[in-house]
């Protein structure tokens, strides 16, 4: 029987046996459920209304400032030079050159200018990630998928990895053009990766109030640890092949559309070899007591035939390399599939595909560098990459959740998961790049501010997750409404904190 159960509904299951030969089952709704989507719709329209009010208010204030209405009003009230100083400091001088200097966004044609769209993209990923980690209002689509398939919660971490790769391309190119040696850059990459890894280990083992950290049950893999690994590998590869001087690529020759790949073929070869290693280990490595190439959840999945095979080769490698007590003990598959084996979604084998995700982001950065003077070429190549990766995903999954050669699976960081999320990333990057850096229709606010302070926001939201005002004891924990209010308030506070830090020019970089 397939049936949709609603929040606070009351249901009865009636089973009828007629002459011991025919069974009839029916579900009866005795109390109608409430519409659980109303709270999230209200929250959506509230934020849309605030955004419209801010946009209209900013335009109106800018118009009044240019026409001198605000200036005249304040001068009539105070009639002093102090009022003039206040206007110039708070609203900006009405002179045209000052307005252009204060408000212009980084030009997309500048190789050294900071692309605002990249920080906005990072901020979008981070804000959704914080909201999901705080609970996502307890909506199913803001929870990670139990095994195969995608929810909103499964989108954000790969996007963060992707945009990290894009930033690597731009930052390394900028530093090479500035005269920094490759050896010194490699040392910086190694030191930053080490810092990320150690911070990650610290924040996912929160035993601060229960005495010293127990090394016997220390979880080693995690989000920041995977970011550290991906950053180290991709930045190292880019340092081997990056060019200090970049020419604008043209379309004169038939092979020119692939020139931004051919110029860096050694790095591409290394990534393809890593992907071959992932395929071989995933589908050919013998796992004791499990079918070779098993990609299922174990537990009661697959009719309970492979109860202790959760994750197949990926879990086996983690248990062998890290130890059973040093990986995640309560995976998302535990609730639905009643799995008993620990499984880490940020494990060793999946880290190979996170490198691929970051490298595809690096390719987006190369496109931005080589075609920086022609935004239409940048956009067209982003869309081609999105179409190509989407086609690969369709072939690998047969456009289904569970069928196909390699299903989309966040827990495994499967190849189809990477190609699907990279496809989405290229399309989303097109949208933010076009609206922010090309047309300048949008400043990127408010996502731009957490995107500029991503490490601080991520670490802060993890450390202070259970403290007021980010969390409080709820009066009705069975309703989506209060969960949603708490999670939206907590996420909005981090956006506001990042805005204050941006205004104070405080940035935490490692």
């Amino acid at each position: 029987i397939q049936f949709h159960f609603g929040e606070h509904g009351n249901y009865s299951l009636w089973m009828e046996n007629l002459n011991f030969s025919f069974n009839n089952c029916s579900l009866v709704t005795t109390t109608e459920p409430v519409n659980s989507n109303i709270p999230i719709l209200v929250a959506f329209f509230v934020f849309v209304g605030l955004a419209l009010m801010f946009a209209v208010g900013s335009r109106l204030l800018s118009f009044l400032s240019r026409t001198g209405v605000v200036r005249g009003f304040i001068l009539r009230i105070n009639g002093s030079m102090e009022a003039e100083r206040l206007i110039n400091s708070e609203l900006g001088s009405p002179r045209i050159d000052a307005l252009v200097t204060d408000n212009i966004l980084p030009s997309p044609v500048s190789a050294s200018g900071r692309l605002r769209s990249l920080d906005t993209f990072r901020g979008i990923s981070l804000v959704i990630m914080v909201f999901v980690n705080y609970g996502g209002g307890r909506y199913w689509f803001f929870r990670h998928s139990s095994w195969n398939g995608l929810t909103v919660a499964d989108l954000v971490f790969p996007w963060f990895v992707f945009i990290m790769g894009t930033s690597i391309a731009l930052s390394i190119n900028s530093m090479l053009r500035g005269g920094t040696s490759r050896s010194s850059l490699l040392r910086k990459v190694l030191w930053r990766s080490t810092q990320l890894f150690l911070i990650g280990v610290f924040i996912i083992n929160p035993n601060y109030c229960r005495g010293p950290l127990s090394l016997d049950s220390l979880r080693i893999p995690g989000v920041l640890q995977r970011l550290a690994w991906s950053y180290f590998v991709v930045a190292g590869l880019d340092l081997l092949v990056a060019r200090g001087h970049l020419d604008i690529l043209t379309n004169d020759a038939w092979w020119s559309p692939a020139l931004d790949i051919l110029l860096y073929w050694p790095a591409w070869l290394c990534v393809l070899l890593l992907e071959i290693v992932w395929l071989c280990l995933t589908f050919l490595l013998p796992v004791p007591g499990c079918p070779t190439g098993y990609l299922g959840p174990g537990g009661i999945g697959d009719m309970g035939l492979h109860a202790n095979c959760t994750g197949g080769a990926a879990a086996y490698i983690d248990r062998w390399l890290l130890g059973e007590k040093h990986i995640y003990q309560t995976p998302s598959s535990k609730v639905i599939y009643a799995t008993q084996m620990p499984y880490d979604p940020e494990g060793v084998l999946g880290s190979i595909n996170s490198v691929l995700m970051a490298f595809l982001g690096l390719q987006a950065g190369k496109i931005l560098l080589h075609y920086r003077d022609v935004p239409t070429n940048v956009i067209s190549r982003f869309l081609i990459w999105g179409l190509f990766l989407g086609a690969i995903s369709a072939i690998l999954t047969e456009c289904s959740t569970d069928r196909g050669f390699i299903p989309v699976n966040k827990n495994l960081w499967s190849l189809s998961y990477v190609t699907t999320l990279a496809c989405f990333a290229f399309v989303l990057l097109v949208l933010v790049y076009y609206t922010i850096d090309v047309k300048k229709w949008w400043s990127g606010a408010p996502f731009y501010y957490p995107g500029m302070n991503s490490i601080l926001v991520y670490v802060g939201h993890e450390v202070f997750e259970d403290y007021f005002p980010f969390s409080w004891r709820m009066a009705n924990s069975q309703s989506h409404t209060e969960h949603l209010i708490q999670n939206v308030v907590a996420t909005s506070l981090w956006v506001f904190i990042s805005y204050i830090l941006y205004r104070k020019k405080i940035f935490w970089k490692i």
Side-chain angles (χ1 to χ4, degrees):
I1 298 176
Q2 292 185 351
F3 194 85
H4 179 76
F5 295 93
E7 181 183 348
H8 294 167
N10 196 302
Y11 308 91
S12 297
L13 174 64
W14 292 86
M15 303 178 65
E16 184 179 6
N17 191 315
L18 301 176
N19 299 325
F20 301 98
S21 60
F22 177 76
N23 291 325
N24 183 29
C25 300
S26 61
L27 273 167
V28 178
T29 302
T30 55
T31 302
E32 289 295 331
V34 300
N35 190 340
S36 59
N37 293 320
I38 289 179
I40 200 166
L41 286 174
V42 171
F44 173 77
F45 285 117
V46 166
F47 279 106
V48 168
L50 290 174
L52 290 175
M53 288 172 58
F54 178 80
V56 172
S58 299
R59 298 267 180 161
L60 181 62
L61 186 61
S62 176
F63 172 76
L64 294 176
S65 177
R66 288 197 302 268
T67 57
V69 174
V70 175
R71 174 185 297 274
F73 177 74
I74 297 179
L75 285 175
R76 280 196 300 271
I77 293 177
N78 285 342
S80 66
M81 293 301 293
E82 179 62 23
E84 177 75 8
R85 184 202 63 78
L86 179 64
I87 293 172
N88 287 332
S89 63
E90 296 296 325
L91 303 180
S93 172
R95 292 181 291 111
I96 296 299
D97 57 341
L99 285 171
V100 172
T101 302
D102 289 343
N103 298 324
I104 193 167
L105 299 178
S107 171
V109 302
S110 172
S112 60
R114 189 181 184 99
L115 288 171
R116 201 176 181 97
S117 57
L118 301 187
D119 292 308
T120 302
F121 187 107
R122 185 185 300 108
I124 292 172
S125 304
L126 182 60
V127 168
I128 300 175
M129 186 185 296
V130 171
F131 179 66
V132 166
N133 289 348
Y134 277 145
R138 295 300 188 267
Y139 288 95
W140 69 267
F141 42 83
F142 286 124
R143 289 177 177 267
H144 291 294
S145 179
S146 295
W147 199 249
N148 293 336
L150 279 179
T151 65
V152 175
D154 298 321
L155 305 178
V156 289
F157 184 29
W159 286 352
F160 202 86
V161 175
F162 179 92
I163 207 64
M164 180 184 69
T166 307
S167 301
I168 288 172
L170 302 183
S171 61
I172 286 181
N173 172 260
S174 176
M175 286 185 283
L176 287 177
R177 290 195 304 111
T180 309
S181 67
R182 295 176 191 265
S183 58
S184 63
L185 283 177
L186 185 59
R187 287 193 297 271
K188 289 181 181 179
V189 166
L190 178 60
W191 174 234
R192 189 183 190 197
S193 302
T194 304
Q195 287 180 287
L196 274 176
F197 188 90
L198 293 177
I199 293 172
V201 171
F202 178 78
I203 65 173
I204 64 171
N205 293 281
N207 293 335
Y208 321 123
C209 300
R210 290 179 289 177
L213 189 64
S214 174
L215 297 179
D216 294 335
S217 58
L218 182 76
R219 183 189 172 196
I220 298 175
V223 170
L224 290 184
Q225 295 91 308
R226 177 161 287 187
L227 286 174
W229 160 256
S230 305
Y231 173 77
F232 176 73
V233 174
V234 173
L237 288 175
D238 194 39
L239 280 173
L240 292 176
V241 297
R243 296 164 178 255
H245 175 72
L246 291 176
D247 296 324
I248 305 296
L249 301 182
T250 61
N251 297 318
D252 296 336
W254 64 271
W255 41 263
S256 58
L259 192 57
D260 51 332
I261 299 175
L262 297 176
L263 286 173
Y264 309 104
W265 67 267
W268 274 100
L269 181 61
C270 292
V271 171
L272 292 177
L273 289 175
L274 281 174
E275 199 54 42
I276 292 172
V277 169
W278 182 86
L279 290 169
C280 291
L281 290 175
T282 299
F283 294 103
L284 301 179
L285 181 69
V287 179
C290 302
T292 302
Y294 181 70
L295 299 177
I300 61 175
D302 302 305
M303 305 302 293
L305 297 175
H306 314 295
N308 295 324
C309 297
T310 302
Y316 177 68
I317 290 173
D318 286 343
R319 293 194 299 269
W320 176 59
L321 285 177
L322 305 175
E324 192 166 307
K325 293 184 178 180
H326 296 293
I327 59 179
Y328 196 45
Q329 301 297 308
T330 55
S332 58
S333 59
K334 190 177 183 69
V335 175
I336 299 297
Y337 297 101
T339 57
Q340 302 300 319
M341 301 295 292
Y343 179 80
D344 206 308
E346 277 78 51
V348 175
L349 194 56
S351 297
I352 294 177
N353 280 340
S354 70
V355 169
L356 174 62
M357 189 74 185
F359 194 79
L360 290 171
L362 183 83
Q363 178 61 29
K366 297 298 185 186
I367 292 172
L368 287 169
L369 288 170
H370 283 292
Y371 301 98
R372 56 191 179 272
D373 285 345
V374 191
T376 53
N377 283 352
V378 172
I379 292 171
S380 63
R381 276 163 175 77
F382 283 175
L383 292 177
I384 290 171
W385 269 105
L387 179 63
F388 173 69
L389 292 167
I392 292 177
S393 297
I395 294 170
L396 292 177
T397 64
E398 297 181 5
C399 299
S400 65
T401 301
D402 297 305
R403 297 192 305 271
F405 180 57
I406 304 178
V408 172
N409 190 295
K410 188 265 179 188
N411 288 281
L412 295 169
W413 268 69
S414 62
L415 178 58
S416 59
Y417 176 70
V418 170
T419 55
T420 301
L421 270 297
C423 166
F424 294 166
F426 272 109
V427 174
L428 181 57
L429 190 55
V430 165
L431 295 176
V432 295
Y433 172 73
Y434 184 75
T435 56
I436 295 174
D437 288 320
V438 177
K439 290 297 185 180
K440 300 180 176 57
W441 291 335
W442 178 34
S443 67
F447 303 106
Y448 175 73
Y449 308 116
M452 290 286 289
N453 239 327
S454 55
I455 297 297
L456 186 146
V457 171
Y458 182 82
V459 173
H461 101 276
E462 287 278 0
V463 173
F464 297 103
E465 177 180 4
D466 297 323
Y467 295 90
F468 184 83
F470 307 104
S471 178
W472 59 82
R473 189 184 299 275
M474 289 181 287
N476 182 9
S477 62
Q478 299 301 311
S479 171
H480 282 291
T481 302
E482 194 165 354
H483 280 289
L484 184 65
I485 291 172
Q486 186 179 100
N487 302 153
V488 166
V489 168
T491 306
S492 301
L493 282 173
W494 283 113
V495 174
F496 180 70
I497 290 170
S498 64
Y499 170 72
I500 296 299
L501 294 174
Y502 175 82
R503 292 297 301 268
K504 298 292 185 180
K505 295 182 172 58
I506 299 174
F507 303 101
W508 183 22
K509 299 183 181 297
I510 59 174

